[in-house]
Amino acid sequence: MKALLIWFVLMNLDKLLKTAHCTETQDQVLSITPKTQEQVDILKNVSTQYETALWQPVSPHYIKEDTQVHLFVPANSSETVKDQLKRHAITHEVLLANPNELIEMQTRNDSTDPRSSSTFYERYHSLEDIYFWINRTQQDNPDTVKVILIGSSFEKRPLYVLKLSVNNRPNKKAMWIDCGIHAREWISPAFCLWFVQYSLSFYQSNKEITRILDNMDVYILPVLNPDGYHYTWTTNRMWRKNRSTNMSTKCVGVDLNRNFDANWCTEGASDQPCSEIYCGAFPESEPETQAVADFLRSHKDIVQIYFSIHSYSQMLLFPYSCTLEEAENHSELLEMVKEAAQKIQRHYRNNYKYGSGANTIYLAPGGSDDWAYKLGIKYSFTFELQDRGRYGFLLPPSHISKACNEALLAVKTIALKVDEKTQAPTTPA
């Protein structure tokens, strides 16, 4: 019996050592709520001096008393970070003990062909597979889908927009949706794919999407930040910015949602290249930002609704984010997001906060929605999809369907409201 036990231990030694090693050195996501200004300052130092990634808020600049902080802590920093917290009596809880398992789950069973599986849209897909999907979608729907190359990224990857158009009605208006401006927000590109598939599948059978597509064209940019998105699949799942470089610093990337010309680089953005909210050298310094801005400038007379899809925190936001001032049609925009949030609550039993960006979250200048609004697109919105922090950026594939259906309901609600308001009144006979 003793010999058998020794044999078993020897045979499984490698496995046992690996298991022990994993439990000692796992990455984790911590939830920390600083209670005093001193604790706020310590937490700011911890999040900048050690190899960590702030999930919420996005920058140490926004850390404040009695506000929850979600901090991704890699295994090699775990002991040091927890010692610092303990030394200053800052309590924490482990929000995610197994982020690496979730990352594996997100990248598993990746299928390139949308026709090969009914669950294609309930999984995350690499950039290469999204490009394949774009081409296949256009080939399968040549009369409805047009692919437009609007520019290229810093690393020369193409920026493809899909135009959905079901008829050639004169004076037709349009809606714009962009996804994936921040690389690690994978649910965002998943929504753009979901929206296209839903529109093509349910046109003529769902009355809301039929009315929307009958009355307006839709432009969809599935991945605004292809370099960053590719990098999250190959190198660093927590990457946020694009991948541009410049000679003056070793730090890489610009926050593309601080790079538009809307109160550019004022409070809520950073001029430090190493910051997660670095605004870039000048407005539209990045080829991705410039490509989007150029396209919208050339279509500003027809695009009347702008949506930018982000995660996470479950919010429906509208301008302004770059100032605490109210937008000209604030009450109209508020009414729209309120109705959308109420419908999500009624249909999916999930709560979304809503309001203007600066008042609902914090000041964030240089954002795409504010820029689009100032361009003249008066129905401009940013959606923050699921969840509220349970999984954060690592939302499991099993949650894609519900997250996308919630956002879809909000898009349809607002688009129908805008269509209703902007239809030319018919004069009585």
Side-chain angles (χ1 to χ4, degrees), residues 111-120 123 136:
S111 164
T112 60
D113 190 342
R115 296 185 300 192
S116 69
S117 167
S118 59
T119 60
F120 179 87
R123 293 200 299 273
R136 173 56 59 83

Side-chain angles (χ1 to χ4, degrees), residues 301-320:
D301 295 333
I302 60 162
V303 175
Q304 60 182 177
I305 314 176
Y306 175 93
F307 290 108
S308 188
I309 309 298
H310 294 243
S311 76
Y312 61 95
S313 64
Q314 295 177 198
M315 294 182 183
L316 309 178
L317 307 171
F318 57 83
Y320 289 113

Side-chain angles (χ1 to χ4, degrees), residues 206-240:
N206 174 275
K207 64 179 182 179
E208 287 97 353
I209 201 67
T210 301
R211 186 176 140 197
I212 290 165
L213 292 174
D214 279 344
N215 293 336
M216 61 181 84
D217 294 334
V218 187
Y219 294 97
I220 300 114
L221 174 56
V223 190
L224 197 159
N225 178 9
D227 298 346
Y229 186 70
H230 178 71
Y231 192 72
T232 62
W233 276 78
T234 60
T235 311
N236 179 358
R237 178 64 185 84
M238 300 306 144
W239 190 258
R240 168 184 166 89

Side-chain angles (χ1 to χ4, degrees), residues 176-178 181-182 185 188 257-258 305-321 333 337 352-358 360-361 364 366-373 379-385 407 410-411 414:
W176 167 280
I177 305 173
D178 63 57
I181 193 169
H182 290 140
E185 298 169 7
S188 173
N257 207 39
R258 298 292 189 280
I305 314 176
Y306 175 93
F307 290 108
S308 188
I309 309 298
H310 294 243
S311 76
Y312 61 95
S313 64
Q314 295 177 198
M315 294 182 183
L316 309 178
L317 307 171
F318 57 83
Y320 289 113
S321 291
L333 297 171
V337 292
Y352 279 66
K353 287 176 77 173
Y354 55 86
S356 62
T360 309
I361 322 182
S368 61
D369 56 348
D370 283 357
W371 177 85
Y373 185 85
Y379 300 101
S380 181
F381 304 90
T382 290
F383 289 178
E384 296 279 355
L385 306 194
V411 166
I414 290 169

Side-chain angles (χ1 to χ4, degrees), residues 28-34 43 47 52-60 62-64 67-73 81 85 92-96 184 238 276 311-313 387-394:
Q28 290 185 331
V29 178
L30 306 182
S31 177
I32 309 156
T33 305
L43 202 46
S47 65
T52 61
L54 265 175
W55 278 20
Q56 182 183 290
V58 65
S59 162
Y62 300 120
I63 296 174
K64 54 187 182 184
T67 304
Q68 206 172 73
V69 172
H70 297 163
L71 186 67
F72 177 85
V73 183
V81 167
L85 296 177
H92 71 272
E93 62 176 282
V94 177
L95 204 57
L96 279 181
R184 62 193 179 186
M238 300 306 144
E276 291 281 39
S311 76
Y312 61 95
S313 64
D387 55 10
R388 290 210 162 152
R390 173 68 188 89
Y391 296 105
F393 301 120
L394 302 180

